[in-house]
Amino acid sequence: MSSSLEALSQKVSAAFADRTKLKEAEYVAAVRETLARLDSGELRVAEKGPEGWRVNAWVKEAILLFFAVSEMQVMEVAPFEFHDKVPLKKGLKAAGVRVVPPGVVRYGAFVEQGAVVMPGYVNIGARVGSGTMVDTWATVGSCAQVGRNVHLSGGVGLGGVLEPPTASPVIIEDGAFIGSRSIVVEGVVVEEEAVLGANVVLTSSTQIIDVTGPEERIYKGRVPARSVVIPGMREKQFPAGKYGVPCALIIGQRTKSTDQKTSLNAALRDFAVPV
């Protein structure tokens, strides 16, 4: 971390630990500068390194403090009117981002050039990579990290994770395909080029069961790269009897190919995955 960023993070964390510091202009300025850098893409909530994903907790602290230092305001985008503390993102044309009305990208989110947001929603702290489609009524929750060339199908819900600041956000890695009405929450990571069929629900405790081998293999909180996943049920004994509990089933692997569109179509066809 550069010395300037280190100084910025120290001020933000100090204010987060002691909110009375927000009465001082320098701490408020640090919060606002962090949000401006987040909005421009210079900073991000989480980033991937050699040892996996790392959360920049102080950036999430700044987001939480931003609500404290911002006033409610009326925002008019004819014929719509909004009343909120966080403004809408501006400069979309210059950024090379397509947002179809009434799609919304909130200030403090970063969307790379070439991404498309249909009438969906991208919340503060989120990041959406180039070539990604946020389809109709799909929501990218606060701080969610969506990679490049991802397709979030209609009605997909990526949960927001703001508190505690150290908690990992939802992460969808490059080339993944998330089927219609799927839900991914509580910091689940969907790794590169994985395919989720329609209506898959993943929480941190959801059993993600690989059923492709002679014995099952269970994952939680992570969908392995290039996996093809569909909704499933697992029988569980309760005091009142046996009932089906939702799970997710890995039923195959997306073939590794330089032509990802061909690979995706093959996965959907071969495994009859609804999207």
Side-chain angles (χ1 to χ4, degrees):
M1 185 183 294
S2 68
S3 58
S4 61
L5 280 184
E6 185 174 358
L8 193 63
S9 68
Q10 288 174 352
K11 286 184 179 178
V12 168
S13 292
F16 190 78
D18 180 5
R19 299 295 178 96
T20 63
K21 291 186 180 296
L22 294 177
K23 296 178 181 178
E24 302 176 40
E26 63 178 305
Y27 291 96
V28 174
V31 171
R32 295 194 182 281
E33 181 180 347
T34 302
L35 264 291
R37 294 191 182 200
L38 190 62
D39 187 75
S40 70
E42 181 182 347
L43 290 177
R44 58 188 299 168
V45 165
E47 47 199 333
K48 191 175 185 180
E51 298 180 358
W53 286 91
R54 177 176 62 85
V55 178
N56 295 317
W58 71 275
V59 176
K60 291 177 72 177
E61 291 174 347
I63 294 172
L64 291 166
L65 291 175
F66 185 70
F67 291 104
V69 302
S70 298
E71 299 291 335
M72 293 291 291
Q73 59 180 306
V74 173
M75 294 167 274
E76 294 187 0
V77 186
F80 301 101
E81 178 181 297
F82 302 93
H83 186 221
D84 192 27
K85 290 187 172 186
V86 181
L88 301 179
K89 190 174 184 68
K90 295 182 178 180
L92 298 173
K93 181 179 179 180
V97 176
R98 180 186 174 198
V99 179
V100 178
V104 171
V105 181
R106 219 173 181 196
Y107 177 75
F110 180 69
V111 182
E112 289 186 344
Q113 181 178 1
V116 176
V117 180
M118 297 300 284
Y121 186 74
V122 181
N123 208 346
I124 189 170
R127 189 179 181 101
V128 176
S130 64
T132 287
M133 165 70 78
V134 180
D135 220 329
T136 304
W137 307 135
T139 57
V140 181
S142 53
C143 301
Q145 306 290 290
V146 181
R148 296 176 176 174
N149 302 312
V150 170
H151 191 116
L152 303 180
S153 301
V156 163
L158 304 185
V161 182
L162 266 176
E163 296 183 273
T166 54
S168 295
V170 170
I171 294 168
I172 310 296
E173 295 189 342
D174 296 352
F177 184 97
I178 312 299
S180 297
R181 303 305 190 267
S182 290
I183 297 173
V184 185
V185 297
E186 296 178 354
V188 170
V189 177
V190 178
E191 294 183 351
E192 291 186 5
E193 301 172 16
V195 177
L196 301 190
N199 297 309
V200 171
V201 177
L202 301 179
T203 72
S204 61
S205 60
T206 300
Q207 289 192 342
I208 304 165
I209 309 170
D210 187 337
V211 296
T212 61
E215 293 185 2
E216 66 178 29
R217 183 174 182 182
I218 298 177
Y219 299 87
K220 286 186 179 181
R222 178 177 72 89
V223 175
R226 295 189 295 279
S227 297
V228 179
V229 183
I230 64 171
M233 298 291 288
R234 159 151 276 181
E235 193 175 71
K236 185 174 180 179
Q237 180 69 50
F238 292 92
K242 290 182 179 179
Y243 296 89
V245 175
C247 65
L249 303 177
I250 298 174
I251 59 170
Q253 290 289 309
R254 183 175 172 177
T255 57
K256 189 172 184 179
S257 169
T258 54
D259 184 348
Q260 296 302 336
K261 289 185 179 179
T262 300
S263 174
L264 173 60
N265 290 336
L268 298 177
R269 181 176 62 252
D270 293 345
F271 299 107
V273 175
V275 297

